[in-house]
Amino acid sequence: MGTGGAGGAGGGTAGSGGLSSSSTAAMGGAGGTGGAGGGVQNCGADSQCDDGIACTIDRCLNAGPSLGTCAHEIQTENACGSNEVCDPSKGGCVDAPPCTIDSDCKGVFGSGPCIALVYCGPSQTCRFELPDVDNDDHMPMECGGDDCDDMQSAAYPGAAEICDGLDNNCNGLADGEDPQTDYSRPDGCGTCGLDCYEVLLHVDAPTVSCNPGDMPGKAPGTCTGQCTCLAPDDCWWDIDQTDGIGCEYKCQLTDPVDVCNDGLDNECDGKIDNGPGCP
């Protein structure tokens, strides 16, 4: 749950029930199509999104190579008096609706996707919390927050951009399109087309690592990992010592040197009956 929005940009009317208080719980209103105070739809900096309301945080989201969009997030701490809420549609801080029990608040804020929980707060005034479906502490953009994908906990402003098909850092670019993509991860080693977990044969997954190389984003890196030995009859060896393909040779180690004339590769070096003294 988190902070709600006082409507989007563009100078329209804020969403219904856009409320906030000085409580530490996150309150807010269902974001509308326009922010109070005549904000702009397209922006290049936060300063261009001022809605003139002191209890909202005005931000320009996704500003980068192209223009961003204004969002007006309702403050939740010390924004208004102890028995007040922030209602941008009414110009700022107003008296909070009184209540005794949670049911007193039913219908007070209307309904919509930005109203996740309505309840009677400790000060006996109605409150509601905004959705945070993926529990990443970022509210969805449509509710005035900054989360571009509230169904994915790996997507929010400030997240590392990785090769997973998502716009992780919410800058409008995904995976290899984003110059901030991290190519040092095994699941996108050097380029998003190289997944070390898929190309390395019979290796212990926690030991898999990636060297992104000298041209990350342009050329694949190198994958490495330690061979697995899950059971006496399921041990694998990298006898060709070639990086990037894993462990290709299945063998059970039975002796540190080869035993002559037993027809076995006792030392798992890919050779049979080649120990000292063997013909």
Side-chain angles (χ1 to χ4, degrees):
M1 302 296 181
T3 307
T13 303
S16 63
L19 305 178
S20 177
S21 77
S22 57
S23 166
T24 57
M27 319 295 178
T33 59
V40 295
Q41 179 67 26
N42 296 319
C43 56
D46 292 347
S47 59
Q48 294 178 301
C49 296
D50 186 6
D51 62 1
I53 298 174
C55 57
T56 62
I57 300 173
D58 308 312
R59 292 178 299 180
C60 181
L61 303 178
N62 289 343
S66 59
L67 292 175
T69 301
C70 289
H72 309 284
E73 183 176 349
I74 297 174
Q75 298 187 61
T76 60
E77 296 187 26
N78 304 316
C80 299
S82 59
N83 291 317
E84 293 181 320
V85 291
C86 180
D87 186 347
S89 68
K90 297 180 180 178
C93 297
V94 297
D95 291 338
C99 60
T100 303
I101 57 177
D102 291 347
S103 60
D104 291 342
C105 300
K106 184 177 181 180
V108 168
F109 303 114
S111 62
C114 293
I115 299 177
L117 176 65
V118 177
Y119 63 98
C120 186
S123 61
Q124 292 191 311
T125 53
C126 292
R127 298 287 186 267
F128 71 86
E129 297 179 353
L130 296 187
D132 180 16
V133 176
D134 55 12
N135 295 311
D136 61 2
D137 294 327
H138 290 261
M139 305 311 110
M141 286 184 176
E142 57 267 28
C143 298
D146 59 3
D147 195 337
C148 58
D149 190 342
D150 200 37
M151 302 301 292
Q152 299 288 345
S153 60
Y156 57 87
E161 189 65 45
I162 61 177
C163 297
D164 61 355
L166 302 175
D167 176 12
N168 302 99
N169 56 14
C170 293
N171 69 347
L173 301 173
D175 294 3
E177 298 175 349
D178 191 340
Q180 300 180 48
T181 301
D182 181 4
Y183 293 111
S184 66
R185 294 168 53 97
D187 53 2
C189 184
T191 66
C192 287
L194 177 57
D195 188 334
C196 296
Y197 299 108
E198 294 181 355
V199 301
L200 291 181
L201 300 173
H202 310 295
V203 296
D204 186 10
T207 70
V208 174
S209 62
C210 164
N211 179 351
D214 298 328
M215 300 175 64
K218 297 181 179 180
T222 302
C223 303
T224 56
Q226 296 179 10
C227 300
T228 57
C229 189
L230 302 178
D233 60 347
D234 190 19
C235 290
W236 296 84
W237 301 79
D238 181 19
I239 59 173
D240 65 4
Q241 297 298 303
T242 301
D243 290 336
I245 64 172
C247 309
E248 72 287 348
Y249 184 56
K250 187 176 183 179
C251 177
Q252 175 59 36
L253 182 67
T254 59
D255 201 283
V257 295
D258 241 6
V259 177
C260 298
N261 302 317
D262 66 352
L264 300 174
D265 181 6
N266 307 100
E267 59 185 345
C268 294
D269 64 352
K271 301 176 182 179
I272 297 174
D273 297 340
N274 68 328
C278 293

